Amino acid sequence: LIIFSSLLLSSLLPRTRCASVLDLGKIHRGQWKNKYWSNTGCLFHHAYPVGYKATKWHFNKLYTMWIEAGEYGPTFAVREEETNLVFRGESPTKPWTKVCLHKRLGTRISGPLHFGFSDPTTQAAIAQMYSESELQAALEGSRAWNEILSPQEKAAQEFMKIEGVGERTAMVLATTTSLGGTQHRDRDSLAKWAAEDGGAMLKRFLLTSEEMPENVLLWPAWPARFVPRILSHLGCEN
């Protein structure tokens, strides 16, 4: 079970050795709202509230965990209070994995469990902040997009229809101005620009741009299979 601060809940909850939630934070309802939710296949499909803060004793040390708003989604942070070292990542597990690597423990950790998200008590508290549509998304395990999408969100949905383009890459394509000096709002606009040089500049962007997700660039199948598929889908030579 999870221990909640008395500032959050008036009822007394059981005290255990697990995470102590200090602040539930707020549901992110701005751009890329869908990225501020756990994967649909998780035990609990739920929002990652920005400003969520909790502490946990582990490895005989006290750690503080929190969630920040990032450019394309949440950033999860874990700080070791003794050394003040901070580890960050794009999922609850990534910063805890960095903690393990830093300590050379050779163990694996469940980030959702350590952050407190695997506990029904935490989920019940977060659910109190949901709108009706968000509660439905949590119960159904469906995507929690904003009801009114921004132009960039609409563009990202369009780019996700291109064979080989995942969600994170689609978000980059929808927001970058590196492809012709302007943001492209749909597939046709991107295809028209890419066709001007047979897809050479787009290919270079997809393979080398610092705007692209690092894990995508490091994926062996990305240059060998997926970039050619994207260029072919857009009608470019490759």
Side-chain angles (χ1 to χ4, degrees):
L1 292 176
I2 304 300
I3 311 165
F4 285 90
S5 165
S6 58
L7 295 176
L8 298 176
L9 299 176
S10 58
S11 58
L12 182 62
L13 298 175
R15 289 183 172 271
T16 72
R17 294 177 299 169
C18 294
S20 297
V21 178
L22 306 178
D23 194 331
L24 284 172
K26 296 182 179 180
I27 304 297
H28 177 82
R29 297 188 173 98
Q31 185 161 269
W32 312 125
K33 173 183 177 179
N34 60 301
K35 296 299 292 182
Y36 288 81
W37 280 67
S38 64
N39 292 330
T40 56
C42 290
L43 174 62
F44 295 108
H45 180 51
H46 62 92
Y48 290 131
V50 175
Y52 176 92
K53 188 176 183 180
T55 59
K56 180 177 180 61
W57 284 92
H58 201 56
F59 310 127
N60 294 318
K61 298 182 184 297
L62 179 64
Y63 291 86
T64 299
M65 305 164 286
W66 67 91
I67 299 176
E68 305 169 344
E71 185 177 6
Y72 294 109
T75 297
F76 298 84
V78 175
R79 181 177 63 231
E80 184 180 79
E81 293 301 331
E82 183 179 86
T83 62
N84 213 33
L85 287 174
V86 177
F87 305 86
R88 286 182 167 85
E90 297 178 353
S91 72
T93 297
K94 286 187 177 180
W96 275 110
T97 298
K98 291 178 180 179
V99 171
C100 292
L101 291 173
H102 176 72
K103 292 183 170 297
R104 301 179 180 178
L105 297 173
T107 59
R108 299 180 65 181
I109 282 180
S110 167
L113 178 65
H114 276 50
F115 266 82
F117 295 135
S118 297
D119 193 280
T121 307
T122 307
Q123 293 304 318
I126 292 175
Q128 296 298 312
M129 300 188 289
Y130 289 157
S131 66
E132 184 176 342
S133 61
E134 290 164 350
L135 180 59
Q136 183 177 0
L139 294 175
E140 294 179 351
S142 57
R143 279 294 189 192
W145 288 88
N146 282 316
E147 295 181 9
I148 300 177
L149 301 179
S150 69
Q152 290 86 358
E153 288 174 312
K154 290 180 180 178
Q157 288 192 345
E158 284 293 311
F159 294 142
M160 285 172 64
K161 298 175 183 178
I162 299 174
E163 184 179 3
V165 174
E167 184 176 61
R168 184 66 174 78
T169 299
M171 293 165 69
V172 172
L173 292 175
T175 55
T176 185
T177 56
S178 299
L179 303 177
T182 186
Q183 291 182 347
H184 296 281
R185 292 290 182 251
D186 53 40
R187 175 199 175 282
D188 291 341
S189 172
L190 181 61
K192 182 178 179 181
W193 171 81
E196 293 178 2
D197 65 354
M201 290 184 65
L202 177 58
K203 181 178 182 179
R204 188 180 308 115
F205 178 87
L206 293 173
L207 293 176
T208 64
S209 174
E210 294 182 355
E211 296 180 62
M212 288 291 295
E214 182 179 6
N215 63 323
V216 172
L217 294 178
L218 294 176
W219 187 24
W222 179 245
R225 291 164 45 198
F226 287 91
V227 170
R229 287 183 187 176
I230 294 170
L231 296 174
S232 176
H233 186 101
L234 293 173
C236 299
E237 299 177 3
N238 57 80

